[in-house]
Amino acid sequence: MPLVGEIDTNRAKYMLDNVLAQCAKLGGEYLFTDMSGVVIIDTVVDHRIFNIVNSLRLLGVETILSGIRPEIAQTATQLGIGFDVKTTQSLQVAVKRYI
């Protein structure tokens, strides 16, 4: 699932509803989430992403975040945002490692 741009409340709800339905339907073990298109992160975005991650865990689907930009990593650290999820440098690395 590529994330690009700003994630607002409506988009997050749409993502949650559709991602859960598709993952349940397809029965996969992993959801690769490419964050290379996310340019701003704050505690609201963090909360929304992890609602999806935690919901998927309940379905038995592990989320792998990839492509977190250096400035996003720095901002997340400064804001005290914790990523309790596996991460990789890029989507390509994630696919090679987990498939």
Side-chain angles (χ1 to χ4, degrees):
M1 172 176 71
L3 298 182
V4 179
E6 186 178 337
I7 302 167
D8 62 15
T9 302
N10 291 330
R11 186 170 177 210
K13 181 178 178 353
Y14 175 82
M15 286 173 17
L16 178 63
D17 293 344
N18 287 299
V19 166
L20 290 177
Q22 288 299 312
C23 285
K25 178 182 174 183
L26 298 173
E29 293 181 48
Y30 300 104
L31 174 69
F32 299 105
T33 302
D34 181 21
M35 296 187 60
S36 61
V38 176
V39 294
I40 298 174
I41 192 165
D42 59 20
T43 53
V44 174
V45 172
D46 172 64
H47 180 71
R48 291 178 180 145
I49 290 171
F50 285 98
N51 279 340
I52 295 169
V53 171
N54 290 329
S55 296
L56 287 170
R57 276 190 188 134
L58 292 174
L59 297 177
V61 178
E62 185 174 4
T63 303
I64 313 298
L65 298 181
S66 66
I68 298 173
R69 296 174 183 220
E71 60 271 20
I72 297 297
Q74 184 176 20
T75 300
T77 302
Q78 290 170 348
L79 292 173
I81 297 171
F83 287 102
D84 183 27
V85 65
K86 292 181 182 177
T87 60
T88 62
Q89 238 179 358
S90 68
L91 182 57
Q92 182 180 16
V93 170
V95 171
K96 283 182 182 178
R97 187 174 296 163
Y98 294 100
I99 293 187

